[in-house]
Amino acid sequence: MPNKFKLSSLALSIALSCHASNSWAEEQPTASSDDVEKIVVTGTFSGKSVAKEEASFAVSSFSEDDIKKLAPKSTADLFKAIPGVWSESSSGVAGANVFVRGFPGAGDAPFLTVQLEGAPIFPPPTLSFLENSSMFRLDETVEFMEALRGGTNPVISNGQPGLTTNFLLKEGSEDTEGLVKYSTSDYGLQRVDAVLSGEIADDLYFMVGGYIKSSPGARDAGFNAEEGNQITVNITKELDNGKINFYTRQTDDHGTWYLPTPLDVAGVDNEFTQIGTLNRQAEIAYGPDGTTESIDFGKGRGWDGSVSGGSIDLELTNGWVLVDRFSYTSGNADTYGLVPQGGSVKLSTVADNGSTAFGAVTGTEYSGDTDVQQIGRWVVKKEIEAFTNDFALTKTFDKGNVTAGFYNSTFSSKDWWSIGNQSYHVVAQGGENLTGIDCNDNADSCTWNYDINSIGDGRTTALYIASSYEITDSVTIDAGLRRENHEIEYTIDEGLDGIINKVVSYDESSTAWTAGINWMFAEKQGIFFRASEGSKMPFFDDFRENYSSYQNGDDLIKDVSQFELGYKHSGENFELYATGFFNEVNSTFAVSPEQAAVAFTNEAYGVEIDFNYYTDTGFSVNLNATLQETEVTAHDDPDVIGKEAQRLPGYQVRITPSYDIEFENGMYATLYGTLTAVDDRFSEQYNLEALILESYQKIDLGVIFNLNDEVKMQLAVNNLTDEEGLTEGDPRGVSGTLDNGRYILGRSIDFNISYSF
């Protein structure tokens, strides 16, 4: 497991990295970089842009070209390039686990907020079976992404203390422009993207674009398991003193939910998925009367809904600035999956006759040495809705500014679950259900069922005030204060018998603050320090999982304290951003809904390194590194105290060289690659050596070839050496051995060709 390291070793690592290579820097200078990449919007109190070097917080920016080089398979896959972030995107197009700066968590993404045009797409960062990135799809309409860790986050917008990623859309201009792109792959992808922008009337511009796609998936399901389409419209009106814009994004996209698979069965590797033609259609039984329903589990996880909104940005007289951002989200985020329960066993150990059993679909007789496993047929239907508005009014003075803001959001979730539903299946791609096993034939489940019907509504309102002041030409201080009220109304019918088992009526308030200082002691060189206190308020599933604690008066608020010390230096041929961090998170979790929550405190410290070196000859090399140490400092179970936070690597490093080649006939190409190295991780809270997720290295390669100004081709190879790294063990219990694991995606080759006009 990771060797312990001291703060001195972190400092040494920074020094070595400065001499060696560089990163997906906050504003990576590339041949296609422009001024918009050298300013940031996310994290500013006023909502207005600021020069990156003047920001007193850690924020990274990724241009459209940066995103194309990363060739992410999903939105969460893109987050791997953000310093300080550990993103487990091996679940497919949705359902990722995202962690930031050592914040504790067993899964999902409780400390991640995804914004579109500066407004959260869904204010609760995570509900069970729904984290923010599952509702956002990348396409050609995205201009760039900003990612803020810690910093001013606890005070602004929805008060997310962890990671906020903000996606900004392309806008039209006086020139009519467009692009059409066709993509395919070695796993049967068919995808067409298109985008068109231009002028409708004087100072009124449009952008419209989207995609349609279909494929069996990176892990071949034997049928078109990943299907989707999306269309985005963005209308912008330029004014003499600002601009107004409105957008809408309609999405219907789903794909197979990739889950942990047995690690001791031949043929089960990083290309394996249990779903297939023989098991995608299955029956579940639920409720007290054992009502049955046939379900298509091939639909996997996805998002069928819309995110619409806009912004008003006005420069008023006498130094006043008004910024208002709003969004409305509505749709369904359903989950259908075949979920393992325990490890694989030989059929003879569970067959009624002690030897063989028969396929429920094909009638095939399987021998006693066939590997079988309990597979749960899980169904989660989730209908969500949210409306968010964030208003900020700023007054600018000669030496500073003052901002007052009001954040208001309402949100709801209507859930219907039937999970558990285990029965023995053959361990094989598309392995079928079996007959001739008692619990398969005579029970609703071989292990357990959990069925619920719930309705939840919530409201969050917050007032915040912040100020920035220039002490000297090189020193600026800032501070912000937020007072938030959080209300939840929630009812649950557990068992689907029409009886309400749990009722929540919650009304609590909390205070957050942040303070920072920025010292630019030389041109484009400086340091900053920031301290902040924030919190993550409880949402619907927090009450369901911790209901006894709620009844006992626990407010279920997760308090977060953070300290940051950053160094930034932008030279003629390099950029360096290094941020040291320390945080403490007071949290709770419940092993099961029937048990009281366990209180614990987690501490983490480390450093994020973002360094970029480039030359006039077309060669550049990037380094993105995160080094961190985590420790549980308080816990109701003394055996957990002193242990590391589960699933978080002590280090992760990405080195990305790139080389531009220009040909005499005007054509040019870009060769690039990425080497990723990830440390060992513990798969559970007791840090058992038998349950370690081993370190791994991954290589990606790619080439972008420009035939002329209009035609471009890209070839990207993901996981060149077909590395079988694990991102997760078995989240449903610890047997003392690592029975199941979820692999990173195996080797794949993607190709696209585009025409711009």
Side-chain angles (χ1 to χ4, degrees):
M1 203 44 208
N3 294 324
K4 301 286 184 179
F5 57 83
K6 303 297 183 181
L7 286 172
S8 58
S9 68
L10 297 179
L12 177 61
S13 299
I14 296 175
L16 291 175
S17 69
C18 294
H19 288 285
S21 47
N22 95 63
S23 122
W24 284 110
E26 271 81 355
E27 294 74 43
Q28 178 178 334
T30 66
S32 61
S33 291
D34 51 39
D35 291 340
V36 75
E37 294 178 66
K38 300 186 183 302
I39 61 174
V40 291
V41 177
T42 310
T44 62
F45 293 125
S46 65
K48 301 290 290 183
S49 60
V50 64
K52 175 61 183 74
E53 297 109 25
E54 299 175 6
S56 58
F57 43 80
V59 60
S60 300
S61 180
F62 299 85
S63 70
E64 180 184 8
D65 286 342
D66 294 335
I67 295 172
K68 287 180 179 178
K69 286 182 179 179
L70 289 165
K73 290 282 193 288
S74 64
T75 303
D77 209 27
L78 173 62
F79 296 162
K80 294 177 181 178
I82 303 171
V85 175
W86 170 242
S87 180
E88 298 175 354
S89 59
S90 53
S91 59
V93 299
N97 302 312
V98 183
F99 307 90
V100 56
R101 286 184 169 178
F103 285 29
D108 296 314
F111 294 102
L112 163 69
T113 291
V114 174
Q115 294 182 347
L116 180 58
E117 292 289 317
I121 61 174
F122 191 55
T126 286
L127 300 180
S128 290
F129 302 100
L130 178 63
E131 44 80 33
N132 273 195
S133 76
S134 295
M135 301 164 58
F136 191 87
R137 299 293 184 271
L138 296 167
D139 64 11
E140 294 293 327
T141 65
V142 173
E143 185 171 33
F144 64 102
M145 179 193 76
E146 294 177 344
L148 170 66
R149 291 88 65 198
T152 57
N153 261 336
V155 171
I156 59 176
S157 188
N158 66 334
Q160 169 63 263
L163 168 68
T164 294
T165 57
N166 184 18
F167 291 89
L168 300 178
L169 298 172
K170 294 177 180 177
E171 297 179 356
S173 66
E174 295 179 357
D175 298 324
T176 300
E177 300 174 327
L179 175 144
V180 178
K181 183 173 76 173
Y182 172 74
S183 303
T184 188
S185 70
D186 63 343
Y187 54 87
L189 172 68
Q190 299 265 60
R191 174 167 172 154
V192 175
D193 287 76
V195 63
L196 180 68
S197 64
E199 186 178 40
I200 300 174
D202 290 345
D203 299 324
L204 181 63
Y205 307 103
F206 77 93
M207 183 280 296
V208 59
Y211 70 85
I212 183 170
K213 72 167 188 177
S214 178
S215 87
R219 292 174 178 152
D220 189 0
F223 58 91
N224 283 335
E226 293 187 2
E227 296 184 311
N229 61 82
Q230 179 170 269
I231 185 167
T232 304
V233 178
N234 192 23
I235 305 296
T236 304
K237 174 63 176 177
E238 296 284 353
L239 306 172
D240 292 339
N241 64 333
K243 71 176 181 179
I244 300 174
N245 96 294
F246 299 94
Y247 62 85
T248 185
R249 170 172 277 218
Q250 311 286 326
T251 308
D252 184 1
D253 190 296
H254 67 86
T256 300
W257 183 18
Y258 299 138
L259 288 145
T261 53
L263 300 177
D264 58 352
V265 177
V268 176
D269 54 19
N270 59 10
E271 296 182 358
F272 177 85
T273 178
Q274 182 71 32
I275 195 76
T277 302
L278 295 182
N279 60 33
R280 65 177 292 188
Q281 187 174 355
E283 191 174 83
I284 61 171
Y286 54 83
D289 299 328
T291 303
T292 60
E293 183 178 349
S294 181
I295 301 292
D296 179 9
F297 289 91
K299 292 186 288 187
R301 301 183 71 161
W303 167 241
D304 182 5
S306 65
V307 180
S308 304
S311 64
I312 303 171
D313 189 339
L314 301 176
E315 299 272 357
L316 307 177
T317 58
N318 299 319
W320 288 94
V321 175
L322 181 153
V323 175
D324 187 70
R325 296 191 175 101
F326 53 91
S327 71
Y328 173 75
T329 299
S330 178
N332 298 295
D334 298 340
T335 295
Y336 303 90
L338 300 182
V339 182
Q341 177 73 31
S344 65
V345 297
K346 295 301 181 181
L347 176 57
S348 60
T349 65
V350 296
D352 290 347
N353 61 15
S355 178
T356 64
F358 295 87
V361 177
T362 66
T364 301
E365 184 176 15
Y366 292 91
S367 64
D369 62 353
T370 301
D371 292 299
V372 298
Q373 184 179 33
Q374 285 190 35
I375 299 294
R377 291 155 293 187
W378 288 27
V379 178
V380 176
K381 299 177 183 180
K382 191 178 294 284
E383 180 184 345
I384 66 169
E385 186 177 22
F387 180 72
T388 299
N389 192 86
D390 190 2
F391 173 85
L393 185 64
T394 300
K395 170 64 175 176
T396 301
F397 303 95
D398 290 340
K399 291 289 187 178
N401 58 66
V402 176
T403 297
F406 178 65
Y407 172 85
N408 189 9
S409 71
T410 58
F411 45 89
S412 66
S413 180
K414 298 178 181 179
D415 287 26
W416 187 97
W417 300 12
S418 180
I419 61 176
N421 305 315
Q422 290 90 4
S423 66
Y424 282 97
H425 287 61
V426 175
V427 177
Q429 195 279 320
E432 62 183 315
N433 192 25
L434 296 169
T435 63
I437 299 175
D438 181 59
C439 64
N440 279 24
D441 299 333
N442 301 308
D444 293 339
S445 176
C446 286
T447 308
W448 57 272
N449 280 356
Y450 183 61
D451 305 330
I452 70 168
N453 185 10
S454 68
I455 300 175
D457 287 274
R459 174 186 294 273
T460 300
T461 57
L463 288 169
Y464 58 90
I465 186 169
S467 180
S468 176
Y469 182 75
E470 295 181 10
I471 298 177
T472 68
D473 291 340
S474 60
V475 179
T476 302
I477 59 173
D478 68 72
L481 182 68
R482 173 191 183 97
R483 182 62 177 174
E484 174 178 318
N485 178 253
H486 189 69
E487 301 176 32
I488 295 290
E489 300 293 328
Y490 185 44
T491 57
I492 313 170
D493 166 11
E494 290 184 318
L496 301 181
D497 54 8
I499 300 174
I500 302 301
N501 308 95
K502 297 177 180 178
V503 178
V504 173
S505 185
Y506 179 88
D507 188 340
E508 292 285 347
S509 297
S510 67
T511 301
W513 60 266
T514 185
I517 182 171
N518 187 60
W519 177 29
M520 300 300 295
F521 53 81
E523 184 178 2
K524 296 187 176 182
Q525 186 177 6
I527 59 174
F528 71 85
F529 174 78
R530 178 165 298 279
S532 64
E533 293 273 356
S535 62
K536 178 191 174 298
M537 303 298 281
F539 294 93
F540 309 125
D541 296 291
D542 295 305
F543 295 99
R544 180 181 53 80
E545 296 173 350
N546 303 277
Y547 190 65
S548 60
S549 295
Y550 163 70
Q551 289 182 307
N552 292 332
D554 193 324
D555 62 17
L556 301 181
I557 298 173
K558 298 180 180 180
D559 296 315
V560 179
S561 303
Q562 299 185 77
F563 300 91
E564 302 170 69
L565 177 63
Y567 171 75
K568 47 200 176 180
H569 188 184
S570 179
E572 292 184 1
N573 61 349
F574 73 92
E575 290 181 333
L576 170 64
Y577 297 89
T579 304
F581 60 85
F582 172 83
N583 61 62
E584 181 181 84
V585 181
N586 296 305
S587 187
T588 60
F589 77 95
V591 177
S592 68
E594 292 77 23
Q595 297 184 24
V598 175
F600 71 98
T601 300
N602 185 88
E603 292 184 356
Y605 65 89
V607 65
E608 305 164 347
I609 303 168
D610 227 344
F611 181 72
N612 185 38
Y613 176 78
Y614 50 97
T615 68
D616 294 335
T617 62
F619 175 77
S620 64
V621 60
N622 310 296
L623 170 73
N624 173 347
T626 302
L627 310 174
Q628 65 185 11
E629 193 67 54
T630 62
E631 182 180 359
V632 177
T633 57
H635 199 282
D636 290 350
D637 185 345
D639 291 337
V640 180
I641 296 175
K643 299 297 192 294
E644 296 184 16
Q646 61 183 346
R647 305 254 288 275
L648 296 179
Y651 69 80
Q652 51 176 321
V653 179
R654 294 171 58 91
I655 300 175
T656 304
S658 178
Y659 185 62
D660 296 328
I661 305 171
E662 186 171 357
F663 302 97
E664 293 183 357
N665 60 2
M667 300 181 185
Y668 64 93
T670 300
L671 304 174
Y672 61 92
T674 299
L675 170 63
T676 301
V678 176
D679 195 13
D680 295 341
R681 288 137 290 133
F682 290 114
S683 65
E684 44 66 56
Q685 62 181 341
Y686 291 100
N687 293 185
L688 301 178
E689 292 188 7
L691 301 176
I692 287 177
L693 304 172
E694 299 290 346
S695 62
Y696 66 87
Q697 298 78 42
K698 185 169 80 80
I699 298 174
D700 304 321
L701 293 177
V703 58
I704 299 174
F705 191 64
N706 294 267
L707 298 178
N708 51 45
D709 292 338
E710 293 84 24
V711 181
K712 179 185 295 186
M713 297 186 298
Q714 181 180 14
L715 181 71
V717 182
N718 176 71
N719 196 359
L720 177 67
T721 59
D722 209 23
E723 180 74 14
E724 294 187 343
L726 293 176
T727 64
E728 181 180 339
D730 192 338
R732 272 156 293 282
V734 175
S735 66
T737 59
L738 198 60
D739 296 324
N740 301 301
R742 183 153 61 184
Y743 291 103
I744 62 174
L745 296 180
R747 179 172 52 238
S748 64
I749 302 173
D750 292 86
F751 172 80
N752 66 70
I753 182 168
S754 62
Y755 175 74
S756 302
F757 56 91

